[in-house]
Amino acid sequence: MKALFRKVDSYERLSQLAALEIKKKIQKGNQVNLGLPTGDTPIGMYKELVNDSQLDWWNVSTFNLDEYIEISIDHPESYQNFMNRNLFDHIDIDKFNIWFPHLVNDYDGMIDGLGGLDLTILGIGSNGHIAFNEPNSPFDSKTRIVDLDEQTIEDNARFFNSIDEVPTKAITMGLDTIMKSKEILLIAQGKKKLDIIQTAMFGDITEEIPASILQNHENLTILYCE
Ligand code: F6R
């Protein structure tokens, strides 16, 4: 394992540092393919990116990690809507370079064909999921439709009026798709996340804890704040 673990003292700092990693990639000027998450944790990072009006997105393609099935794309909590609201509506990115797994038949083939993901930002679920690869997802999984875990449905109920409104299915990049990313940055906030990060990074590498596969990644950084 070649993971770098950085604990920072505030969510603001975490957001700045995560945004900086993305900016560094973009500013190199080559074509860059980013894997992007939704959820609470990346909101500050997206704000930082939006606030940098100098950042030129012409060479960037984005590939979101996942999207709910069963809710309309117009639903405020669809991940496409989340991304428009928090990032895409505020930056000068070519809309043809924005991709979601439900829009493409062969997401993995498409990503590979474009040279693979250069940097993927991940959050982590309290059950150890990354993207929507729930416990017992195969390590060799590709993009596919999955059932959401009870724990994920409970955790995500906070975004909906009631738990009954939380979708039970999603389409997600697979663990194999994510592991092929040249660089991975996992961002997490809060004590609950520290516990699962410790289990994932120092425990057995097991499909029961999907994030434990990250121990095998050659270029992983974990950014954490309380
Ligand atoms: C969302 C995603 C999920 C979240 C995870 C943490 O696109 O891939 O794996 O990253 O559920 O979510 P938050 O940041 O809300 O704690």
Side-chain angles (χ1 to χ4, degrees):
M1 178 172 61
K2 285 202 188 133
L4 176 69
F5 181 84
R6 280 189 79 179
K7 183 174 175 211
V8 292
D9 55 11
S10 68
Y11 176 69
E12 197 186 4
R13 190 76 190 124
L14 177 142
S15 303
Q16 286 165 351
L17 289 173
L20 190 62
E21 288 309 307
I22 293 182
K23 288 183 198 182
K24 281 197 288 192
K25 282 271 172 300
I26 296 178
Q27 284 163 347
K28 274 191 183 162
N30 306 323
Q31 168 63 29
V32 48
N33 297 329
L34 298 174
L36 295 179
T38 62
D40 275 338
T41 319
I43 288 177
M45 173 186 83
Y46 291 137
K47 266 198 196 118
E48 291 288 331
L49 292 172
V50 167
N51 287 341
D52 187 342
S53 55
Q54 300 298 308
L55 202 56
D56 195 341
W57 291 82
W58 70 272
N59 56 336
V60 182
S61 294
T62 64
F63 298 86
N64 263 84
L65 300 177
D66 39 24
E67 177 58 283
Y68 288 124
I69 304 279
E70 295 169 340
I71 58 173
S72 133
I73 293 308
D74 301 329
H75 190 290
E77 293 308 328
S78 82
Y79 284 175
Q80 209 167 323
N81 238 322
F82 170 99
M83 290 304 297
N84 289 341
R85 203 163 56 236
N86 286 289
L87 184 67
F88 299 141
D89 283 350
H90 314 287
I91 59 172
D92 190 17
I93 187 169
D94 189 330
K95 301 294 178 238
F96 289 106
N97 291 336
I98 296 173
W99 296 101
F100 281 81
H102 63 283
L103 300 177
V104 184
N105 275 337
D106 179 8
Y107 208 42
D108 293 70
M110 179 182 186
I111 293 170
D112 286 347
L114 290 169
L117 295 169
D118 297 295
L119 171 64
T120 298
I121 314 294
L122 298 176
I124 184 168
S126 60
N127 61 0
H129 76 208
I130 47 177
F132 275 142
N133 294 283
E134 300 287 22
N136 300 312
S137 294
F139 281 160
D140 62 358
S141 51
K142 314 271 187 218
T143 302
R144 68 208 185 287
I145 292 176
V146 295
D147 290 320
L148 296 181
D149 194 56
E150 287 291 314
Q151 183 65 56
T152 301
I153 293 172
E154 263 173 48
D155 289 349
N156 288 2
R158 69 190 192 280
F159 298 115
F160 293 82
N161 291 326
S162 82
I163 194 162
D164 302 329
E165 287 183 19
V166 185
T168 58
K169 285 182 188 297
I171 181 162
T172 182
M173 270 188 200
L175 292 170
D176 182 67
T177 323
I178 292 169
M179 285 297 284
K180 280 191 190 151
S181 178
K182 295 177 191 81
E183 220 174 306
I184 295 179
L185 173 63
L186 188 150
I187 53 176
Q189 180 183 27
K191 176 81 181 75
K192 206 164 147 190
K193 296 293 178 78
L194 186 59
D195 291 344
I196 188 65
I197 288 173
Q198 276 166 341
T199 308
M201 298 318 293
F202 300 109
D204 292 342
I205 301 179
T206 161
E207 289 179 348
E208 282 168 39
I209 311 282
S212 66
I213 185 73
L214 296 174
Q215 289 186 40
N216 290 337
H217 200 276
E218 291 294 306
N219 197 343
L220 167 71
T221 303
I222 299 172
L223 262 180
Y224 170 79
C225 70
E226 277 179 356

